């Protein structure tokens, strides 16, 4: 199906292959039921499906979900890059439910920056440089007075 259509979004009522449509529906149901459970067989199957671009929500194209085995820093960096392209800045708000995981990551990066700056950790220097090149702001407001003004 993916080779012929360029995606894995098999319609629920796919007439050409009802068996495939039913299987896809079953996989989505299993994923919903097993997503939080410690079942290594299903987790491995879910990861395999994700490697081919399988989408867990039926319907129109959904934003990509982070693969379970992806490098989290790179994933979030790409997500931040897309956010900046759409919004013109890297200040991800907590108020937007859709971007809340990214907002948490941004806050964590700011905390790591302060901690690693004190320790002079060379492993983080390249990551910090990449964030800065994107226009990342390490301090949004440096004092109470700035926030007040």
């Amino acid at each position: 199906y993916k080779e012929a259509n360029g995606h894995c979004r098999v319609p629920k009522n796919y007439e050409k292959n009802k068996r495939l449509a039913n299987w896809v529906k079953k996989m989505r149901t299993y994923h919903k039921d097993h997503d939080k459970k410690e079942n290594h067989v299903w987790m491995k199957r879910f990861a395999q499906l994700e490697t081919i671009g399988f989408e867990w929500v039926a319907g129109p194209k959904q934003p990509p979900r982070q693969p379970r085995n992806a490098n989290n820093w790179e994933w979030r960096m790409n997500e931040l890059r897309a956010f900046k392209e759409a919004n013109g800045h890297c200040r991800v708000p907590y108020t937007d439910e859709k971007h809340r995981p990214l907002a948490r990551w941004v806050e964590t990066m700011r905390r790591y920056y302060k901690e690693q700056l004190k320790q002079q950790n060379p492993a983080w220097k390249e990551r910090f440089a990449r964030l800065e090149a994107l226009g990342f702001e390490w301090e949004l407001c440096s004092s109470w007075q700035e926030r007040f003004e």
Side-chain angles (χ1 to χ4, degrees), residues 9 12 16 20 26 31 42 65 86 92 96 112 114:
R9 295 184 308 276
K12 290 180 186 176
K16 289 183 181 178
L20 176 62
K26 191 179 287 188
H31 181 264
W42 279 107
R65 181 177 176 191
V92 184
D96 183 358
Y112 283 1
K114 290 174 186 173

Side-chain angles (χ1 to χ4, degrees), residues 121-142:
N121 186 333
W124 280 92
K125 283 185 180 183
E126 186 261 337
R127 288 179 172 181
F128 295 152
R130 287 177 59 195
L131 285 166
E132 287 170 1
L134 188 61
F136 191 84
E137 299 173 51
W138 297 110
E139 299 237 359
L140 295 178
C141 294
S142 61

Side-chain angles (χ1 to χ4, degrees), residues 102-119:
L102 180 60
R104 282 190 202 107
W105 183 81
V106 164
E107 181 180 288
T108 301
M109 289 304 102
R110 288 190 178 105
R111 189 178 72 246
Y112 283 1
Y113 180 75
K114 290 174 186 173
E115 292 170 5
Q116 300 305 324
L117 203 59
K118 292 174 191 170
Q119 298 173 10

Side-chain angles (χ1 to χ4, degrees), residues 6-7 11 22 28 30 60 63 66 73 86 93 106 120 132 134 139-141:
H7 59 77
N22 288 333
R28 288 185 176 129
Y30 285 169
Q66 178 181 1
W73 196 92
V106 164
Q120 293 295 316
E132 287 170 1
L134 188 61
E139 299 237 359
L140 295 178
C141 294

Side-chain angles (χ1 to χ4, degrees), residues 17-142:
N17 192 338
K18 289 184 179 190
R19 220 170 148 201
L20 176 62
N22 288 333
W23 183 83
V24 167
K25 181 180 178 186
K26 191 179 287 188
M27 290 304 102
R28 288 185 176 129
T29 301
Y30 285 169
H31 181 264
K32 195 166 111 179
D33 293 345
H34 293 87
D35 198 27
K36 305 285 189 246
K37 296 179 183 172
E38 292 277 335
N39 186 325
H40 299 292
V41 173
W42 279 107
M43 299 309 272
K44 186 175 180 178
R45 290 174 179 169
F46 298 153
Q48 283 181 293
L49 285 167
E50 288 171 357
T51 64
I52 63 165
F54 190 87
E55 296 177 29
W56 299 111
V57 179
K61 183 156 177 53
Q62 301 295 316
R65 181 177 176 191
Q66 178 181 1
R68 289 177 185 4
N69 59 354
N71 178 328
N72 192 47
W73 196 92
E74 287 297 332
W75 176 267
R76 293 293 182 209
M77 182 65 180
N78 290 332
E79 195 176 11
L80 182 61
R81 187 176 293 111
F83 179 88
K84 183 180 180 184
E85 286 174 15
N87 298 282
H89 59 79
C90 296
R91 296 180 306 275
V92 184
Y94 266 98
T95 55
D96 183 358
E97 184 76 29
K98 176 182 170 188
H99 293 107
R100 192 159 295 147
L102 180 60
R104 282 190 202 107
W105 183 81
V106 164
E107 181 180 288
T108 301
M109 289 304 102
R110 288 190 178 105
R111 189 178 72 246
Y112 283 1
Y113 180 75
K114 290 174 186 173
E115 292 170 5
Q116 300 305 324
L117 203 59
K118 292 174 191 170
Q119 298 173 10
Q120 293 295 316
N121 186 333
W124 280 92
K125 283 185 180 183
E126 186 261 337
R127 288 179 172 181
F128 295 152
R130 287 177 59 195
L131 285 166
E132 287 170 1
L134 188 61
F136 191 84
E137 299 173 51
W138 297 110
E139 299 237 359
L140 295 178
C141 294
S142 61

